[in-house]
Amino acid sequence: MEEARVSLDLTHVIYDASSHTSLALALLTLSPILIMPAYGVLAVQTRELTIINMWAGQLVSEGLNLVLKRIFKEERPAEGQLHLNGYGFPSSHSQYMGYFGAFLVCHMYLRHRFASTGYPLADQAFRFFVYLTITTWVVLVAYSRLNLLYHTPHQVLWGLGIGASIGVVHYIFTEHLPHRWPLSTFGRIRTAVLTNPVVQWMQIRDGWAVWADGGREGEWQRWKIKYNEHQASFHQKRVD
């Protein structure tokens, strides 16, 4: 029996070879793929519940996208039929980035506090720059799906809208409400997760429940103290 072979489109992108913009967008459209291993690395390295929770929501959003595509079965743009597989509604890349951007901006705005420079205007400018960078990334990835003829405008817009909605709702109910009202149902669920013996054995923590920056500055200060002690010891040995 002859084997049936198909193309794995995960990293297979068709673009206009005569356009540098098309090449840049083709590279940019692959960026969501890089976020998944980043989730894994951060989850293992930091053991932060918020990062693990964000990752879990991202997977739920991806699962919903597959379900929606099989429900609506909407074709991709006619221009792309020669090289595209699967259905086009809603755009999975747009939904992916919509969720990612919405959850991250919600967290940055509602929970995370950046280290202060001592100048309020500079602090606000930096926060605005972070929000703008995230939003620009999301929009450019969504636009790349249009430019590369992988989706129609309404497939991209619906993808962004669905992803952003999931991101906001997921963040509100699993992060914001438990933090604001620890004794609420959502707060008790989060406490139960953190006090679970398996979770404690894995040393998973909720840094933002204790520190406004998730503990980043404190960790850096502890490292700086140990580093200075190490340097002082090294120089003392050279003198001796």
Side-chain angles (χ1 to χ4, degrees), residues 151-170:
H151 292 283
T152 63
H154 94 275
Q155 290 173 351
V156 167
L157 291 176
W158 272 97
L160 281 174
I162 293 171
S165 298
I166 296 174
V168 171
V169 170
H170 185 63

Side-chain angles (χ1 to χ4, degrees), residues 56-71:
Q58 191 83 71
L59 294 173
V60 170
S61 177
E62 286 296 283
L64 178 61
N65 181 267
L66 291 175
V67 171
L68 291 175
K69 283 187 174 181
R70 282 158 178 73
I71 290 175

Side-chain angles (χ1 to χ4, degrees), residues 5 66 104 121 123 125 140 145 209:
R5 294 179 176 270
L66 291 175
L104 194 56
L121 186 60
D123 293 343
L140 285 177
R145 308 309 289 174

Side-chain angles (χ1 to χ4, degrees), residues 52-238:
I52 297 171
N53 181 40
M54 182 180 181
W55 189 11
Q58 191 83 71
L59 294 173
V60 170
S61 177
E62 286 296 283
L64 178 61
N65 181 267
L66 291 175
V67 171
L68 291 175
K69 283 187 174 181
R70 282 158 178 73
I71 290 175
F72 292 100
K73 297 182 179 180
E74 184 175 303
E75 298 295 337
R76 293 176 183 270
E79 297 92 331
Q81 289 301 310
L82 293 178
H83 57 77
L84 298 177
N85 297 320
Y87 299 112
F89 180 87
S91 166
S92 58
H93 283 68
S94 300
Q95 183 173 327
Y96 189 106
M97 292 304 294
Y99 170 89
F100 176 80
F103 189 102
L104 194 56
V105 168
C106 282
H107 182 68
M108 293 292 182
Y109 183 77
L110 295 172
R111 296 288 301 279
H112 186 77
R113 292 297 174 266
F114 299 94
S116 176
T117 61
Y119 301 94
L121 186 60
D123 293 343
Q124 292 298 324
F126 179 73
R127 290 178 68 89
F128 176 77
F129 173 76
V130 171
Y131 300 146
L132 181 62
T133 299
I134 296 171
T135 303
T136 301
W137 184 11
V138 171
V139 171
L140 285 177
V141 171
Y143 174 71
S144 73
R145 308 309 289 174
L146 292 175
N147 182 275
L148 299 172
L149 305 178
Y150 277 73
H151 292 283
T152 63
H154 94 275
Q155 290 173 351
V156 167
L157 291 176
W158 272 97
L160 281 174
I162 293 171
S165 298
I166 296 174
V168 171
V169 170
H170 185 63
Y171 186 85
I172 293 298
F173 284 97
T174 63
E175 295 286 338
H176 184 61
L177 293 182
H179 171 69
R180 290 292 301 274
W181 292 281
L183 298 180
S184 67
T185 300
F186 303 104
R188 293 178 186 275
I189 292 174
R190 192 175 182 88
T191 299
V193 170
L194 286 167
T195 55
N196 182 277
V198 175
V199 172
Q200 293 188 343
W201 174 75
M202 296 175 66
Q203 297 183 346
I204 293 175
R205 68 175 192 173
D206 187 1
W208 278 275
V210 180
W211 301 286
D213 65 348
R216 185 203 58 80
E217 184 176 0
E219 290 178 355
W220 183 85
Q221 290 177 346
R222 288 195 296 273
W223 167 83
K224 185 63 175 176
I225 291 172
K226 290 295 184 181
Y227 180 77
N228 289 341
E229 291 175 353
H230 179 270
Q231 291 296 99
S233 175
F234 175 76
H235 289 298
Q236 184 61 41
K237 289 179 180 178
R238 293 189 60 181

